């Protein structure tokens, strides 16, 4: 039976234009800018100085505290210093700037393409390696991976869930990883299972990727305790709570972490990164990014070094199409519009989406007609129209009573709203104000 | 037939009298004795219910004024010194006259000075915009121009100029209630002393970026060059996090800072036009 989550959700047109484009490397050049804070938690502390020569994969900033992550140089070259650099949203944050000179990797990193199937490392060793290599969840929130894998005392993990849904329209980088790096991905899943000592892992994949399902089902025969679960395409299935509901039928309680249900969720990109970190000693210095859009001549899935400026990605697809109205980092549902073309990519960047002028415009706003479409669409069972009004009037107590904190900002309400109200805009504001 | 009518009238009459007695007893028992002065004070107040005094409305403020022994920290910005003096006289309490203040917008980033680099397509609200990203120009400190201050103003005293896209304050209407100060997510509005003859000088910029960066972002940004501080004879100017600030208590309105500011980010208000080559 094909599973899915029950409450709410929408199914926007998929537009997986780049799904046939094989992953390709984007060679580093020019200057890369690597943010000290590209994870949830405390920013890392810089350990290199201006003028230092660094190699690819060398540690350049150290984690400060438990909820923080190491940052490594994604290129080899000379450190130009720490500069206040504007990110995608134009907000200035400190970043280490490195002038690229050749591509000289750190000797400890195994760069061969040979698959390392050795699973003898202990749970502690695996976790230590993951923390050392600065892995963060690549699903979007960029939460430090070693924190996620640390099961709180008194709780036990029973099942590892791997998110291969890629429910956002347009995005295909995870799909390509599943097709091209299937074997490595499964070894990564085995390592993760070992790290949190569970016997079972489920990889949830939506049925709009039949080739990935077939490919992984073939490969999984050689690995114990991994199940491929077919899921009905529905957004936001990739969200932690919805994915747990879809695969296990369990509901994560309000204000609780997924571990309450015995689940730990990670995504396929992260599992592949775990393989590279543990088996090849390779830090998180590059990740796969989809470059797509309806008017693009070339659709691409590229492996990009962390800190590459966006303008370099635009060069890779031979320039921006003439009638681009909006550029989005991430998918069209949850991604955020980019206001600064020189901003560098992050560890967790998943896509750059070019929308045409027509697509990018929001519809004309009118009044709420109380149709409750947003209530039907909300996967968290909230009342978006009400939260919207409360946030507009800054009624914080009422917002708290109506569980504004539970909103996952998926955008289903805005997607279905016939009056084109900026629901998520205000609900997000309400969330930050009640925090 | 007539007896039925009579009985009905009689019954209802008795019932009415009975209930009236009950109501009277209840009214006496639960009577709330309120200080009559609260009503009188409320009548003296402007009745705008703007919340500028810090209370939830004029009634709440009136209660507070009547209850407090020392009313000097309480002030109704809308009514001003005149109203406060009347209230004090009525209650027999003391009040000191406060220097009148008025709202000023500390941003000069008009379209000309600060070109728009992108367009915001979300909800028409400065708060939403500020929570989303740095703004539609390179300067991340300046006015966002979506008019949260205009919506907040109960007195119709602040409007966005369609040419500069900056808010402008109508001095005749502004009551210094402070609603716009709270509404602005970029903290651009400040309540400043009205000054003698309504003349005042202030730094019309909130850019805290370093000089060279700020200069690129806006043509009238404060670059913290400290020329104003050097020229000020009254030590009224301080520079903190790359931004100059004029202390209105120390400023003697000599306008030297206005003349010497290389970026033109210091503004003078209500001064007569300058005579050439003569000191004013």
């Amino acid at each position: 039976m094909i599973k899915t989550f029950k409450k709410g959700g929408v199914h926007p047109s998929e537009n997986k234009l780049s799904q046939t484009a094989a992953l390709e490397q984007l060679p580093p050049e020019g200057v890369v800018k690597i943010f000290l804070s590209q994870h949830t938690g405390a920013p890392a502390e810089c350990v290199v100085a201006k003028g230092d020569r660094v190699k690819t994969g060398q540690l350049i900033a150290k984690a400060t505290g438990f909820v923080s992550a190491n940052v490594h140089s994604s290129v080899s070259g000379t450190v130009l210093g720490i500069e206040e650099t504007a990110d995608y949203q134009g907000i200035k944050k400190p970043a280490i700037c490195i002038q690229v000179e050749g591509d000289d990797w750190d000797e400890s990193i195994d760069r061969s393409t040979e698959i390392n199937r050795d699973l003898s490392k202990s749970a502690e060793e695996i976790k230590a390696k993951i923390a050392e290599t600065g892995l963060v969840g690549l699903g979007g929130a960029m939460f430090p991976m070693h924190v996620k894998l640390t099961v709180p005392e008194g709780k036990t993990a029973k099942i590892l869930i791997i998110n291969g849904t890629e429910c956002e329209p347009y995005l295909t980088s995870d799909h390509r990883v599943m097709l091209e790096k299937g074997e490595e991905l499964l070894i990564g899943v085995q390592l993760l299972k070992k790290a949190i000592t569970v016997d079972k892992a489920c990889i949830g994949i939506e049925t709009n990727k039949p080739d990935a399902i077939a490919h992984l089902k073939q490969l999984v025969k050689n690995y114990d305790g991994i199940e491929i679960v077919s899921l009905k395409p529905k957004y936001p299935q990739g969200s932690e709570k919805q994915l747990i509901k879809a695969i296990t039928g369990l509901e994560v309680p309000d204000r609780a972490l997924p571990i309450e249900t015995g689940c730990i969720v990670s995504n396929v990109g992260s599992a592949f990164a775990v393989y590279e970190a543990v088996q090849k000693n390779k830090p998180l210095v590059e990740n796969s990014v989809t470059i797509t859009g309806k008017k693009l001549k070339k659709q691409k899935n590229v492996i990009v070094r962390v800190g590459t400026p966006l303008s370099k990605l635009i060069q890779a697809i031979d320039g921006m199409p003439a009638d681009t109205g909006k550029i989005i980092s991430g998918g069209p549902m949850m991604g955020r519009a980019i206001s600064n073309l020189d901003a560098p990519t992050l560890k967790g960047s998943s896509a750059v989406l070019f929308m045409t002028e027509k697509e990018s415009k929001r519809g004309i706003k009118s009044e709420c007609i109380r149709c409750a479409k947003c209530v039907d669409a909300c996967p968290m069972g909230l009342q978006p129209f009400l939260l919207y009004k409360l946030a507009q009037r800054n009624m914080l107590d009422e917002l708290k009573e109506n569980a504004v904190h539970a909103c996952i900002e998926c955008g289903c309400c805005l997607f279905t709203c016939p009056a084109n109200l900026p629901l998520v805009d205000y609900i997000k504001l309400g969330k930050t104000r009640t925090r | 037939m007539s007896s039925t009518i009579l009985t009905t009238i009689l019954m209802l009459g008795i019932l009415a009298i009975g209930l009236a007695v009950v109501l009277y007893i209840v009214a006496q028992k639960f009577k709330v004795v309120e200080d009559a002065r609260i009503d009188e004070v409320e009548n003296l107040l402007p009745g705008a219910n703007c919340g500028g005094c810090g209370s939830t409305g004029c009634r709440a403020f009136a209660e507070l004024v009547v209850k407090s022994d020392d009313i000097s920290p309480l002030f109704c910005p809308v009514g001003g010194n005149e109203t406060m003096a009347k209230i004090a006289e009525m209650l027999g309490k003391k009040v000191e006259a406060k220097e009148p203040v008025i709202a000023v917008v500390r941003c000069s980033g008009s379209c000309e000075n600060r070109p728009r680099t992108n367009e915001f397509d979300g909800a028409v609200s400065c708060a939403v915009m500020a929570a989303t990203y740095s703004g539609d120009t390179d300067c991340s400190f300046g006015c966002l121009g979506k008019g949260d201050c205009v919506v907040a103003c109960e007195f119709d005293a602040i409007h966005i100029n369609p040419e500069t896209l900056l808010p402008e304050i109508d001095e005749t209407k502004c009551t210094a209630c402070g609603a716009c100060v709270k509404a602005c997510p970029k903290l651009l509005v400040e309540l400043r002393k009205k000054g003698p003859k309504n003349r005042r000088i202030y730094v019309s910029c909130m850019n805290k970026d370093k000089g060279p960066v700020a200069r690129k972002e806006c043509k009238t940004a404060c670059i913290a060059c400290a020329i104003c501080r050097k020229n000020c004879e009254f030590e009224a100017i301080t520079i903190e996090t790359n931004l100059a600030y004029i202390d209105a208590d120390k400023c003697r309105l000599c306008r030297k800072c206005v003349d010497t500011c290389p970026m033109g980010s210091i503004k003078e208000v209500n001064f007569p036009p300058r005579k050439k080559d003569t000191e004013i």
Side-chain angles (χ1 to χ4, degrees):
Chain A
M1 201 196 73
I2 298 169
K3 293 178 173 176
T4 188
F5 64 102
K6 210 171 157 194
K7 196 165 29 181
V10 290
H11 189 209
S13 35
E14 284 162 12
N15 287 317
K16 303 274 189 188
L17 307 169
S18 51
Q19 61 179 344
T20 50
L23 287 169
E24 54 181 290
Q25 282 280 352
L26 193 72
E29 54 172 333
V31 176
V32 296
K33 295 179 177 178
I34 304 167
F35 284 120
L36 290 176
S37 169
Q38 36 189 326
H39 46 260
T40 311
E45 198 182 86
C46 184
V47 292
V48 287
K50 192 177 169 179
D52 281 3
R53 269 198 63 84
V54 290
K55 286 181 178 174
T56 312
Q58 187 182 327
L59 183 75
I60 52 172
K62 229 174 140 140
T64 50
F66 183 58
V67 186
S68 184
N70 285 340
V71 178
H72 298 78
S73 174
S74 60
V75 294
S76 63
T78 313
V79 177
L80 300 175
I82 299 183
E83 244 176 64
E84 288 288 319
T85 307
D87 68 1
Y88 286 149
Q89 275 77 41
I91 296 158
K92 293 192 184 82
K93 290 188 283 190
I96 301 174
C97 302
I98 301 169
Q99 175 70 47
V100 179
E101 288 153 11
D103 195 16
D104 187 12
W105 285 67
D106 201 271
E107 292 82 18
S108 61
I109 299 165
D110 174 11
R111 297 202 65 215
S112 65
T113 49
E114 203 177 300
I115 294 173
N116 180 352
R117 292 188 177 79
D118 171 35
L119 289 174
S120 60
K121 284 201 177 69
S122 75
E124 289 314 311
E125 278 174 325
I126 294 171
K127 271 194 253 183
K129 200 84 216 160
I130 287 173
E132 186 196 317
T133 47
L135 252 56
V136 296
L138 300 179
M142 298 194 278
F143 198 71
M145 192 93 128
H146 61 277
V147 182
K148 210 181 212 178
L149 297 180
T150 310
V151 180
E153 247 175 81
K155 308 266 187 304
T156 41
K158 288 175 207 132
I159 180 169
L160 172 71
I161 293 178
I162 301 292
N163 174 11
T165 55
E166 206 155 51
C167 57
E168 274 262 11
Y170 288 97
L171 308 198
T172 56
S173 53
D174 280 357
H175 185 183
R176 292 313 302 178
V177 168
M178 286 190 278
L179 281 180
E180 293 174 39
K181 316 273 183 192
E183 184 104 45
E184 291 95 322
L185 165 66
L186 293 178
I187 298 169
V189 174
Q190 293 295 56
L191 292 168
L192 279 173
K193 266 169 62 187
K194 204 162 177 192
I196 54 169
T197 55
V198 295
D199 304 324
K200 200 183 165 198
C202 288
I203 306 180
I205 307 171
E206 291 189 346
T207 50
N208 58 8
K209 294 178 268 292
D211 46 351
I213 296 177
H215 180 64
L216 288 185
K217 274 197 172 158
Q218 189 63 38
L219 289 174
V220 88
K221 285 174 187 160
N222 304 327
Y223 297 91
D224 289 337
I226 303 181
E227 191 192 337
I228 308 295
V229 183
S230 304
L231 299 167
K232 189 181 151 195
K234 191 161 139 188
Y235 177 85
Q237 196 139 240
S239 161
E240 214 164 45
K241 289 174 182 176
Q242 276 62 36
L243 191 64
I244 291 173
K245 179 79 185 159
I247 290 180
T248 65
L250 298 170
E251 199 142 333
V252 182
D254 186 29
R255 289 182 189 275
L257 291 170
I259 191 71
E260 289 293 325
T261 56
C263 300
I264 284 187
V265 185
S266 191
N267 90 328
V268 290
S270 313
F272 175 62
V274 167
Y275 164 81
E276 290 207 309
V278 179
Q279 308 293 71
K280 304 274 187 185
N281 194 28
K282 185 176 150 191
L284 189 57
V285 293
E286 53 186 18
N287 60 335
S288 51
V289 173
T290 304
I291 310 176
T292 184
K294 280 186 184 153
K295 287 281 165 71
L296 292 195
K297 279 175 231 136
K298 293 182 196 166
Q299 307 286 340
K300 279 196 176 186
N301 292 297
V302 289
I303 295 177
V304 181
R305 300 289 170 88
V306 172
T308 308
L310 190 65
S311 46
K312 286 274 179 288
L313 301 191
I314 296 174
Q315 267 176 29
I317 46 134
D318 297 343
M320 212 188 317
D323 72 334
T324 304
K326 194 183 264 183
I327 308 174
I328 296 172
S329 153
M333 297 295 284
M334 273 197 85
R336 295 182 74 174
I338 295 169
S339 68
N340 172 17
L341 289 185
D342 295 319
T345 58
L346 303 171
K347 281 179 181 177
S349 295
S350 58
V352 181
L353 168 61
F354 293 82
M355 289 202 133
T356 61
E357 190 76 43
K358 203 177 146 213
E359 274 180 305
S360 69
K361 285 274 172 288
R362 290 200 192 193
I364 294 159
K365 186 186 146 196
S366 56
E367 289 307 311
C368 175
I369 54 166
R370 309 266 152 165
C371 64
K373 271 192 171 178
C374 54
V375 181
D376 282 343
C378 182
M380 298 306 290
L382 304 172
Q383 303 178 71
F385 74 95
L386 178 67
L387 296 175
Y388 163 72
K389 276 283 168 212
L390 294 175
Q392 249 182 355
R393 292 174 193 176
N394 210 10
M395 294 163 80
L396 303 183
D397 292 334
E398 287 82 353
L399 274 172
K400 279 183 202 159
E401 274 167 34
N402 284 287
V404 71
H405 66 272
C407 172
I408 55 168
E409 302 173 14
C410 64
C412 288
C413 49
L414 204 153
F415 181 77
T416 54
C417 183
N420 296 312
L421 297 174
L423 295 163
V424 198
D425 300 45
Y426 276 102
I427 296 174
K428 272 186 189 172
L429 184 69
K431 259 178 91 172
T432 34
R433 285 190 172 166
T434 48
R435 215 165 267 158
Chain B
M1 185 65 190
S2 63
S3 68
T4 320
I5 295 170
L6 258 173
T7 335
T8 317
I9 292 171
L10 208 68
M11 287 298 289
L12 284 176
I14 293 165
L15 200 66
I17 291 164
L19 286 175
V21 171
V22 173
L23 276 177
Y24 179 76
I25 294 166
V26 171
Q28 288 304 314
K29 178 131 179 107
F30 295 103
K31 196 174 180 180
V32 181
V33 188
E34 207 172 43
D35 199 330
R37 293 179 298 173
I38 294 175
D39 279 332
E40 284 172 42
V41 173
E42 198 187 350
N43 285 337
L44 288 176
L45 289 170
N49 286 319
C50 63
C53 53
S55 301
T56 44
C58 293
R59 178 89 192 166
F61 182 68
E63 280 172 24
L64 197 64
V65 170
V66 172
K67 256 188 246 162
S68 327
D69 293 327
D70 178 22
I71 62 165
S72 52
L74 303 171
F75 189 72
C76 168
V78 181
N81 286 325
E82 211 176 303
T83 307
M84 289 313 290
K86 271 188 204 164
I87 293 171
E89 194 192 320
M90 203 200 83
L91 296 172
K93 291 174 185 175
K94 267 187 190 170
V95 70
E96 279 167 33
K98 278 193 180 138
E99 184 120 15
V101 287
I102 194 166
V104 294
V105 180
R106 290 177 288 175
C107 177
S108 322
S110 61
C111 304
E112 222 172 74
N113 293 333
R114 192 171 58 130
R116 264 62 188 162
T117 52
N118 61 78
E119 195 184 321
F120 183 66
D121 190 29
V124 186
S125 152
C126 303
V128 170
M129 196 170 168
T132 311
Y133 76 127
S134 67
D136 54 6
T137 65
D138 285 338
C139 173
S140 55
F141 299 91
C143 176
L144 299 168
K146 298 286 174 200
D148 276 13
C149 50
V150 179
V151 178
C153 184
E154 299 264 356
F155 303 96
D156 194 35
I158 191 162
H159 294 281
I160 302 276
N161 182 330
E163 267 176 35
T164 58
L165 293 182
L166 289 174
E168 281 174 8
I169 286 159
D170 186 338
E171 290 186 24
T172 54
K173 287 180 182 168
C174 177
T175 59
C177 70
C180 48
V181 178
K182 281 180 212 150
C184 183
K186 297 283 185 191
L187 311 174
L188 294 177
V189 191
E190 187 197 1
L191 292 178
R192 274 184 90 86
K193 274 188 185 173
K194 255 188 182 167
K197 292 187 194 163
N198 274 349
R199 291 174 186 174
R200 54 192 170 270
I201 296 173
Y202 61 96
V203 180
S204 180
C205 181
M206 281 296 271
N207 193 314
K208 288 175 186 146
D209 277 326
K210 282 180 187 158
V213 182
R215 190 193 285 271
K216 270 184 213 155
E217 288 168 348
C218 176
K219 281 184 201 156
T220 59
C222 171
I223 53 169
C225 60
I227 292 177
C228 52
R229 188 174 60 188
K230 219 179 284 168
N231 283 307
C232 184
E233 288 166 23
F234 311 103
E235 294 182 346
I237 301 177
T238 47
I239 292 175
E240 220 171 283
T241 52
N242 306 312
L243 181 66
Y245 181 78
I246 302 175
D247 186 340
D249 290 330
K250 290 181 186 162
C251 176
R252 304 280 287 272
L253 305 176
C254 70
R255 291 200 281 173
K256 265 192 188 156
C257 52
V258 184
D259 295 336
T260 50
C261 178
M263 298 299 284
S265 43
I266 303 179
K267 260 194 186 167
E268 52 173 58
V269 186
N270 293 330
F271 282 86
R274 279 160 212 245
K275 293 170 201 159
K276 273 181 191 168
D277 299 319
T278 43
E279 286 287 316
I280 301 163

